Amino acid sequence: MNPCAHLVEAPTEAPTQETEGCEGCLAEGRDDWVHLRMCLSCGYVGCCDSSPRRHATTHFMETGHPVMRSFEPGETWRWCYLDERLG
Ligand SMILES: [Zn+2]
Ligand SMILES: [Zn+2]
Ligand SMILES: [Zn+2]
């Protein structure tokens, strides 16, 4: 399957960001996220859909930024929310 236009246009690396975890969880005083995702439009770091608060998805809903990448060590896959596609 070919990547969608959003994945073709998105960078493979986000703006360098220093973070200790999910920005949404940290703001709420939580630290129980499962995995982290990074927005390739603005560098926001949020937790995945396996986490209780799903901040990465919330970020997409609020901003419309379509492409996130994994923020886990050794993982480089990207995900387009609009097309629900990996690339
Ligand atoms: Zn797309
Ligand atoms: Zn979170
Ligand atoms: Zn963003």
Side-chain angles (χ1 to χ4, degrees):
M1 195 187 292
N2 294 322
C4 65
H6 311 102
L7 287 166
V8 170
E9 288 176 8
T12 52
E13 294 294 334
T16 306
Q17 182 110 341
E18 296 227 358
T19 180
E20 298 186 8
C22 171
E23 295 178 25
C25 286
L26 291 172
E28 295 174 24
R30 304 172 66 111
D31 64 355
D32 56 349
W33 58 80
V34 179
H35 294 297
L36 296 174
R37 309 280 178 258
M38 176 179 274
C39 174
L40 288 173
S41 298
C42 69
Y44 176 92
V45 175
C47 51
C48 70
D49 284 355
S50 299
S51 305
R53 304 290 289 147
R54 301 183 181 187
H55 283 114
T57 296
T58 301
H59 178 71
F60 162 67
M61 307 265 244
E62 290 179 347
T63 64
H65 296 163
V67 181
M68 292 260 179
R69 61 158 287 164
S70 174
F71 196 56
E72 298 298 313
E75 292 186 2
T76 58
W77 54 264
R78 298 177 302 158
W79 171 256
C80 177
Y81 279 103
L82 291 176
D83 297 289
E84 300 189 333
R85 196 175 291 192
L86 284 170

